Amino acid sequence: MYMKKISILFILFVGLLNAQKLTSDELSIINQGDVNTALPIYQTTDVHQHKTLLNLSSEINPTDPGTAVLVKRMKESLLLTDGGVGIAAPQVGINRKVIWVQRFDKAGTPLEYFINPVIVWRSDLQNLGPEGDLSIPDFRDQFYRSKVIQLEYVDLKGQKYSEIVEGFTAVIFQHEIDHLFGILISDKKEKEKNDSYKKVDAYQKSDLNKR
């Protein structure tokens, strides 16, 4: 019975690794051109790209060499933007759970990557503030976001982390993780119209609102 349980767990583990494995199509996008340069950012104005942005993203194997390349190229894509403070893998054509976020809650406001991020808790208290999107040209509006979140994620070595994030940085995380669920702020606005939250303006960098 004990050996049977071990065998089942091993099969589940192997299945999970296979599910996380990058496909040949994904690797083709990730490795196209110079792997040290930015990947093009997908736009809602393109039908094919818009469809990719609306798809659900799946987990990725953090130790896969292709994941490291994707992480690096996503950072280059973000650095080329005008005021962008975050980016998600679907925005470069890969429906996988990888994001970059500018940490305004840390000294020097560094850019940091997060693999398979999950928000495990959100505060009831909400912020209302402006948001734009690197994939949606000429769109900006006011949105409600939780003031504080608890986040879990892994790094490229597979090391697990958990942390509490609040304020403007928490807003960026929520925006980017929405992308992993195929949620765009242009669609989110329609769903928010009948919601009622307490307005708390905690934005300290409202001019940096492109994600």
Side-chain angles (χ1 to χ4, degrees):
M1 184 67 176
Y2 178 73
M3 291 303 297
K4 183 177 180 181
K5 286 183 178 179
I6 292 178
S7 298
I8 292 173
L9 289 174
F10 178 75
I11 290 171
L12 290 173
F13 177 72
V14 172
L16 179 61
L17 286 180
N18 287 335
Q20 294 177 338
K21 188 176 180 180
L22 290 163
T23 67
S24 58
D25 288 342
E26 289 172 328
L27 288 171
S28 177
I29 293 173
I30 293 169
N31 294 316
Q32 68 182 355
D34 187 339
V35 297
N36 295 310
T37 61
L39 288 166
I41 296 177
Y42 276 34
Q43 302 294 306
T44 56
T45 49
D46 180 284
V47 174
H48 170 71
Q49 294 180 3
H50 192 184
K51 182 177 179 181
T52 298
L53 291 166
L54 295 175
N55 287 339
L56 287 173
S57 292
S58 57
E59 290 194 346
I60 193 170
N61 180 356
T63 61
D64 187 316
T67 302
V69 177
L70 173 61
V71 167
K72 176 175 174 52
R73 299 197 72 182
M74 283 176 62
K75 182 180 183 181
E76 296 301 322
S77 299
L78 181 57
L79 289 172
L80 285 181
T81 66
D82 181 17
V85 296
I87 193 170
Q91 292 180 281
V92 295
I94 305 295
N95 288 121
R96 295 288 184 155
K97 294 182 177 181
V98 182
I99 64 173
W100 276 90
V101 168
Q102 187 161 7
R103 299 297 301 262
F104 290 99
D105 57 339
K106 292 186 176 183
T109 64
L111 289 173
E112 295 181 355
Y113 74 88
F114 302 85
I115 297 174
N116 300 332
V118 178
I119 296 174
V120 296
W121 175 83
R122 303 171 188 254
S123 67
D124 292 331
L125 192 61
Q126 305 280 320
N127 292 326
L128 176 65
E131 293 183 36
D133 195 293
L134 298 172
S135 294
I136 311 175
D138 305 317
F139 181 87
R140 185 170 300 175
D141 212 323
Q142 299 282 322
F143 294 89
Y144 291 100
R145 298 286 187 181
S146 293
K147 179 184 170 81
V148 186
I149 61 171
Q150 182 177 354
L151 182 77
E152 293 183 353
Y153 59 94
V154 299
D155 62 17
L156 285 169
K157 295 180 181 179
Q159 178 67 44
K160 295 181 179 180
Y161 299 89
S162 178
E163 62 177 300
I164 302 292
V165 185
E166 61 181 281
F168 183 60
T169 303
V171 171
I172 303 172
F173 273 110
Q174 291 169 83
H175 179 110
E176 300 309 333
I177 290 176
D178 269 357
H179 270 297
L180 305 183
F181 289 91
I183 299 172
L184 300 175
I185 54 173
S186 52
D187 301 323
K188 180 179 174 66
K189 193 63 186 178
E190 293 300 314
K191 298 172 69 175
E192 276 191 346
K193 285 184 177 178
N194 296 322
D195 291 341
S196 178
Y197 299 108
K198 182 177 179 181
K199 178 181 177 181
V200 179
D201 187 5
Y203 279 67
Q204 298 179 356
K205 295 286 183 179
S206 60
D207 56 319
L208 296 175
N209 50 28
K210 290 184 179 180
R211 287 173 282 282

